[in-house]
Amino acid sequence: MKITDVSLTLFGWGGIPATQYGRHTGKFGGMSQLGLLTVATDAGVERHAFLGSASRGANLDAESLIQHLKPAVMDQDPLDRERLYQAMSQRNRFTTLRAIGAVDIALWDIAGQVAGLPIHRLLGSYRDRLPAYASSSVLSSKEAYADQAAKFKAEGWTAYKIHPPTDPAVDIEICQAVRKAVGDGFTLMLDSTWAYQYPEALRFSNVIEHLGYHWYEDPLSDD
């Protein structure tokens, strides 16, 4: 079996509300583009992956995907996933991890189709279900976070993750207000989106540990 084509179909996504998830995203909204990646083979197996999001359209990755990744996988066996992933990774200076990941997912999709198994079985099936949590954007006040968390709890969600404004003094008040709103038995998490310096991150961790937060995500810059 050989790969005969790699294509990306773009779809307009309008009406996205103004949203922010931290300093790294800024505010986005309005219009974006989603992409449906298709990898076709000479055996008639044709599988897919998605590319793009509300904050970063697939159009921004499309050109490098077709120009640099498509040649790396054309006429190759799609079941050689690791070899093809390494070949694509060697071109990472000319494309993006998002584009590489999309092609890799499509190759896994082909493998599942050929094997007649869901991908989790190919990966070893550690579990057959996953817990889900609700996640905030950056909201206007601690009251807004508390109200949203309480609303999600009332709807049956069992966990809530905060994306705060990334001002440590404000963020602490938000974490306290949300814990008070949902009670001690509800699972809460904090995603600080790489915003803090080490001393304030450490002080913050002591506060949310006392509040019983389940995890503390990305307090420091990733480098």
Side-chain angles (χ1 to χ4, degrees), residues 23 81 95 107 146 212 218:
R23 296 180 190 178
R81 293 183 305 280
T95 186
L107 296 179
D218 289 331

Side-chain angles (χ1 to χ4, degrees), residues 20-22 135-150 160-183 186 188-192 196 204 207-208 211 213:
Q20 183 175 349
Y21 284 112
S135 184
S136 84
S137 59
V138 175
L139 303 179
S140 59
S141 66
K142 63 182 181 182
E143 291 81 9
Y145 284 94
D147 289 346
Q148 185 181 74
Y160 176 72
K161 188 172 79 172
I162 297 168
H163 288 94
T166 64
D167 177 339
V170 174
D171 297 352
I172 286 176
E173 291 187 355
I174 289 168
C175 289
Q176 292 169 333
V178 171
R179 173 53 77 199
K180 183 177 180 181
V182 298
F186 190 79
L188 293 174
M189 297 87 76
L190 175 69
D191 182 356
S192 307
Y196 305 147
F204 208 114
V207 173
I208 63 170
L211 292 170
Y213 271 60

Side-chain angles (χ1 to χ4, degrees), residues 86-115:
Q86 296 298 330
M88 291 189 291
S89 294
Q90 291 174 5
R91 305 185 179 201
N92 63 18
R93 291 181 180 272
F94 304 99
T95 186
T96 66
L97 289 175
R98 293 174 180 84
I100 293 170
V103 178
D104 188 51
I105 288 170
L107 296 179
W108 276 98
D109 199 16
I110 288 173
Q113 180 78 2
V114 170

Side-chain angles (χ1 to χ4, degrees), residues 3 37 42-43 52 70 109 124 144 153 160 164 192 194 213 215 223:
I3 294 172
L37 176 69
D42 60 3
K70 181 176 180 177
D109 199 16
K153 180 181 179 181
Y160 176 72
S192 307
W194 315 294
Y213 271 60
W215 78 54
D223 61 359

